[in-house]
Structures are given as structure tokens and as C-alpha cells.
Amino acid sequence: MKLSIAIPTLNSSEFIDDCINSVRKINNVDEIIINDDGSNELDYSILERKVEKLISSYNLNISLYRNEKNLGGFKNKYVTISKCTNDYVYQIDSDNLAGLNTNKIFNDTFLSNLNSENFYLPSKVYVFKKNPYLSSLRKKYKVLIANKKFLLDKKEISRSMTDDEKLFVDVKNGWVFNLGNFIVNREYFLERMKIGFESKDLPLAADPIAMCYFWLKEDGKLQLIENFYHFHRLRPNSYWYSAGEEATKSVEYFEKKIANLNND
């Protein structure tokens, strides 16, 4: 089985080389889909040139698309994944890099055992500003979420949020829902996120936690993959920081919704 890579972009052409170079050597990846959410003309032209160079240099199967108007992070990720053709998709943000062990993790056995009901998340993250690989050598840049395979359903998560039960090693429970950079069954994802994609008034600025909520609401499960990680870039002009107060409101809204899942 092969895997698709889904990369949503917005004025992030300067990072696309690093992102694609981190996934292009994954043996079981045969498709990279990039969908731009209305970048300015200069940034998009740079993105086009970089993608063309990557295709010619490495003979990669990359498709680049562009929305007619800005849709926002949640809806752009939905569109990006909808354009993938494989059953399973690894969605990685354009300013992040896949972990150094990703090719080893995405082996034939792993892919053949994926469960369409599970929303797969990393079990640790390395944060960085300039050098991602240096961050993996320093403990202070490592965020350990779980040191083993971890499967959670909505009852466990809702209870932990209500009772303030600590589930993870280095972070609060709510932090995990904002990880993003997940693996998912394409068909199930599109079906379960449709309510958010079609909504005109839901607060979707914090798209990762919104996606976790919609997944759990339909009795799906969250699974943290042991030793699966990515490098998360810290930058002041990221989508999260650009969303500002709207992102904070979105987190608060969906944290309450997750806490009340057992009452739905």
C-alpha cells in the first residue's frame, strides 16, 4: 500500500524545499499534493518555481493546486486531502519537517495495519527555529507526549478533560489536540470533516483540535504512534500566530466540546 503526502500552503514558499526533502525519500510515498490557500502572487510564483525544480531534480510525483480564494487552514487541509488519490494520507504542514525515522516507521507492515477508524498522531515533537536537526540533540527542544503506543476513545478523553486527569508525559491534554501533522484514512476524514468544511460560522481557526473533535464525535479514536515525530518550526508569522485571538477562541470552544463528548 502507498501513502499520499498532503501539504497545505499559505505564503510559505521559503519552507517548501525543507518540507519536501524530508518526505521525498519515504519508500511507500508515491504522491505529494500541495494546495495553496491564496498566497500573494510573489510567494506563489516562487512556490511554483521551487516545485518545478524539485520535480525535475528528483523525478517526484508532485501536484500543485491553488484555491481561487482563501479558505482558512481547516478548509484548505480538507481540500488538500480531497485531492489525494491513496486510501491513507500523511498531512504535514509546509513549515514542518518529517522525522528522520519516518521512512522506517512507514514500512509495509505499518501501512497494512492502519485502521480507518483511527486518527494517527505523533508521540513526540521537536521544536526549532533555525536548525531542526540540532533540536533533536537537545533535550529542551523535545516534547514527549507518550513513550508508547497510545489509543484513546472519546469516553477516555472526555473524562480526562472533565476530571483534569493527566494523560501525557510533558504536556497538558489539550496540547495534544493541537498537534496536527496526522495520518488518516482519506474517505473517513472527508466524511467526518464535512460539517466543518461546509460551515460558515464554526470557529475553525485552531483547525487541529477541531479535526480531533469531529473525529471523536463520530466514535473514531486517536492513536499516538510510538516514536513517530516531526520537527515543528516556531515562527512569528505562522498561521497560528496570524489567527491571533480567533485561534484562542477556537481552542476554548473545541476543548469544551471535547470535554462534553460523553454527554452528546
Side-chain angles (χ1 to χ4, degrees):
M1 185 169 71
K2 296 297 183 182
L3 194 70
S4 297
I5 302 290
I7 307 175
T9 60
L10 176 63
N11 295 322
S12 53
S13 63
E14 65 179 297
F15 309 118
I16 200 65
D17 285 320
D18 287 345
C19 182
I20 291 180
N21 281 326
S22 75
V23 299
R24 66 178 174 82
K25 293 184 179 180
I26 301 174
N27 295 331
N28 282 324
V29 166
D30 67 354
E31 170 184 73
I32 299 173
I33 302 295
I34 303 172
N35 198 74
D36 186 77
D37 197 23
S39 295
N40 63 59
E41 293 301 323
L42 175 59
D43 192 86
Y44 188 72
S45 66
I46 294 172
L47 179 63
E48 284 184 307
R49 290 198 300 271
K50 287 189 172 185
V51 168
E52 289 173 2
K53 186 176 180 179
L54 285 162
I55 292 172
S56 62
S57 298
Y58 302 109
N59 193 29
L60 300 175
N61 179 21
I62 305 177
S63 297
L64 173 62
Y65 302 92
R66 190 184 193 189
N67 297 332
E68 293 183 0
K69 62 178 182 179
N70 179 270
L71 299 178
F74 182 102
K75 295 183 180 182
N76 190 40
K77 288 179 181 178
Y78 185 96
V79 172
T80 309
I81 290 174
S82 75
K83 294 181 182 299
C84 295
T85 60
N86 288 315
D87 290 339
Y88 284 88
V89 178
Y90 176 30
Q91 188 273 300
I92 184 168
D93 295 342
S94 58
D95 55 353
N96 292 340
L97 288 77
L100 297 174
N101 65 345
T102 305
N103 183 48
K104 183 178 180 180
I105 287 179
F106 290 176
N107 57 46
D108 292 339
T109 302
F110 171 80
L111 293 181
S112 65
N113 285 305
L114 288 173
N115 187 327
S116 57
E117 290 288 346
N118 294 349
F119 192 95
Y120 294 93
L121 292 167
S123 58
K124 59 183 176 182
V125 176
Y126 290 99
V127 298
F128 75 100
K129 290 184 179 180
K130 294 182 179 180
N131 189 327
Y133 305 115
L134 185 61
S135 72
S136 65
L137 301 175
R138 297 183 178 178
K139 187 176 180 180
K140 67 178 182 178
Y141 298 119
K142 175 183 176 181
V143 181
L144 180 62
I145 303 158
N147 50 24
K148 60 181 180 179
K149 176 181 175 181
F150 213 143
L151 185 64
L152 295 163
D153 61 24
K154 70 178 183 181
K155 290 183 179 180
E156 293 171 294
I157 292 173
S158 179
R159 184 184 66 251
S160 71
M161 297 289 282
T162 304
D163 300 339
D164 199 27
E165 174 190 348
K166 185 173 175 62
L167 292 175
F168 309 113
V169 179
D170 289 340
V171 294
K172 293 181 178 180
N173 297 345
W175 196 90
V176 175
F177 307 132
N178 288 290
L179 274 172
N181 300 271
F182 52 84
I183 303 167
V184 74
N185 178 276
R186 175 185 175 277
E187 181 180 351
Y188 277 55
F189 177 86
L190 296 177
E191 178 183 332
R192 292 175 176 182
M193 302 302 139
K194 188 175 181 181
I195 185 172
F197 182 73
E198 294 180 344
S199 171
K200 295 181 179 180
D201 53 10
L202 283 170
L204 299 172
D207 54 89
I209 190 171
M211 290 175 179
C212 285
Y213 167 72
F214 292 131
W215 193 269
L216 292 166
K217 187 175 184 295
E218 297 302 319
D219 295 319
K221 297 179 180 179
L222 304 185
Q223 180 170 330
L224 276 65
I225 304 169
E226 185 177 4
N227 292 322
F228 176 47
Y229 69 94
H230 64 275
F231 296 98
H232 179 82
R233 189 186 303 268
L234 300 175
R235 59 186 179 98
N237 58 344
S238 68
Y239 173 79
W240 171 264
Y241 286 111
S242 299
E245 187 178 340
E246 293 303 311
T248 302
K249 290 180 179 177
S250 179
V251 169
E252 292 173 351
Y253 176 85
F254 283 106
E255 280 188 345
K256 290 179 181 177
K257 298 291 284 184
I258 289 173
N260 289 320
L261 275 171
N262 283 340
N263 299 322
D264 287 353

